[in-house]
């Protein structure tokens, strides 16, 4: 079964350092997402991406965050200067283009656990 | 504002019993309501969804009920198994033609006792 894959599974970084989290969405999907989950809390939307541009972003997704689709398969989240409060599990997700029907299901990867020290 | 929340943080059931996980929502404009299962250390796994113009949808061992009058969503799991132990999140989605982001609730921990 096709799946969203993410790397790394764990990363520890020092405060102020740049971090890049990588994702390979499901191959025929056209919408891509990043969500995050602080330990013990609910999953929060960060950003959605379609046709090489951001389609929607949350208040969390400030100027320290950026996303990129550098080639036909990868989708990355960059945190320019990490803060302690960025420590969380970051989930990449993707879906097909259709808005209604089974094609609108959003599938998640296993997550990248980021610890900022 | 929109919000999706859960009534109970933990639900314990005996193996073989049926489980019912509940969720309250406040955004009447949502087009879809979705249930995800999250096992420890893993990503949310899609279980089932229901469109806002429906009141019941069945899957394999799972049924989702939507009561728009009281803005209530439930997930019923038949013959609960140890593998069903996880955190269950309800989420809602408005189809905008753009990102169609998910808004998640806080989750219910389901514990299956042998």
């Amino acid at each position: 079964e096709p799946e969203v894959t993410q790397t790394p599974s764990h990363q520890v970084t020092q405060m102020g350092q740049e971090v890049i989290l990588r994702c390979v969405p499901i191959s025929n999907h056209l919408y891509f997402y990043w969500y995050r989950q602080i330990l013990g809390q609910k999953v929060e939307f960060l950003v959605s991406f379609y046709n090489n541009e951001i389609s929607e972003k949350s208040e969390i997704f400030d100027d320290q965050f950026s996303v990129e689709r550098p080639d036909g398969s990868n989708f990355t989240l960059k945190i320019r200067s990490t803060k302690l409060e960025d420590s969380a599990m970051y989930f990449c997700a993707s879906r097909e283009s259709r808005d209604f029907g089974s094609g609108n299901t959003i599938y998640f990867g296993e997550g990248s656990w980021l610890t900022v020290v | 504002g929109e919000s999706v929340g859960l009534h109970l943080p933990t639900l314990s059931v005996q193996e073989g019993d049926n489980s019912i996980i509940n969720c309250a929502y406040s955004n009447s404009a949502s087009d879809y309501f979705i249930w995800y299962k999250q096992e420890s250390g893993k990503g949310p796994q899609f279980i089932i969804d229901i469109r806002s113009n429906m009141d019941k949808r069945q899957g394999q061992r799972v049924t989702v009920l939507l009561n728009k009058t009281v803005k209530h969503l439930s997930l019923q799991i038949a013959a609960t198994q140890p593998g069903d132990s996880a955190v269950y999140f309800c989420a809602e989605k408005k189809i905008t033609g753009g990102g169609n982001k998910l808004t998640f609730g806080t989750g219910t921990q389901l514990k299956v006792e042998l």
Side-chain angles (χ1 to χ4, degrees):
Chain A
E1 182 177 315
E3 58 182 19
V4 177
T5 59
Q6 292 185 239
T7 55
S9 57
H10 280 91
Q11 182 160 354
V12 180
T13 189
Q14 289 198 326
M15 191 168 54
Q17 294 296 304
E18 177 183 281
V19 162
I20 298 176
L21 305 178
R22 292 181 168 79
C23 169
V24 179
I26 296 173
S27 62
N28 64 332
H29 286 192
L30 299 179
Y31 281 89
F32 314 116
Y33 305 84
W34 285 100
Y35 287 77
R36 79 170 186 191
Q37 185 178 31
I38 295 171
L39 186 63
Q41 298 186 21
K42 62 183 180 182
V43 179
E44 301 174 290
F45 169 76
L46 291 178
V47 66
S48 61
F49 191 86
Y50 170 72
N51 198 27
N52 285 319
E53 62 182 22
I54 291 173
S55 50
E56 190 174 0
K57 61 182 180 179
S58 72
E59 292 179 353
I60 302 169
F61 195 87
D62 61 22
D63 292 343
Q64 294 299 314
F65 291 88
S66 63
V67 289
E68 192 179 31
R69 187 154 164 85
D71 53 40
S73 60
N74 291 285
F75 180 52
T76 62
L77 174 69
K78 181 190 292 186
I79 308 175
R80 190 184 318 158
S81 177
T82 50
K83 303 185 287 288
L84 294 176
E85 54 265 38
D86 294 327
S87 295
M89 180 75 93
Y90 288 81
F91 294 108
C92 177
S94 69
R95 72 171 171 96
E96 288 185 63
S97 62
R98 286 176 288 162
D99 287 331
F100 291 93
S102 61
N104 83 88
T105 300
I106 296 176
Y107 295 93
F108 286 79
E110 296 288 88
S112 293
W113 183 251
L114 176 65
T115 301
V116 182
V117 297
Chain B
E2 60 184 42
S3 67
V4 180
L6 296 172
H7 291 309
L8 297 172
T10 303
L11 176 66
S12 295
V13 298
Q14 293 289 321
E15 182 181 6
D17 287 352
N18 296 334
S19 302
I20 300 176
I21 302 171
N22 297 302
C23 177
Y25 67 91
S26 61
N27 186 5
S28 300
S30 296
D31 293 299
Y32 275 92
F33 299 90
I34 310 104
W35 283 100
Y36 281 88
K37 171 186 179 183
Q38 187 178 29
E39 297 176 22
S40 182
K42 295 190 175 182
Q45 177 186 355
F46 173 83
I47 301 173
I48 191 169
D49 63 8
I50 186 167
R51 197 165 167 178
S52 60
N53 61 357
M54 301 170 64
D55 52 26
K56 180 179 180 179
R57 189 173 184 210
Q58 288 185 292
Q60 187 176 13
R61 270 202 316 121
V62 295
T63 301
V64 56
L65 299 177
L66 176 63
N67 185 331
K68 292 181 285 293
T69 302
V70 295
K71 297 181 182 178
H72 185 266
L73 184 72
S74 68
L75 176 69
Q76 300 178 2
I77 304 173
T80 312
Q81 302 168 359
D84 295 326
S85 293
V87 176
Y88 288 81
F89 292 95
C90 63
E92 57 90 15
K93 179 167 60 179
K94 174 69 180 166
I95 302 298
T96 61
N100 299 349
K101 67 179 184 182
L102 291 168
T103 299
F104 282 86
T106 53
T108 292
Q109 173 78 55
L110 176 65
K111 296 183 178 180
V112 181
E113 298 170 348
L114 302 177

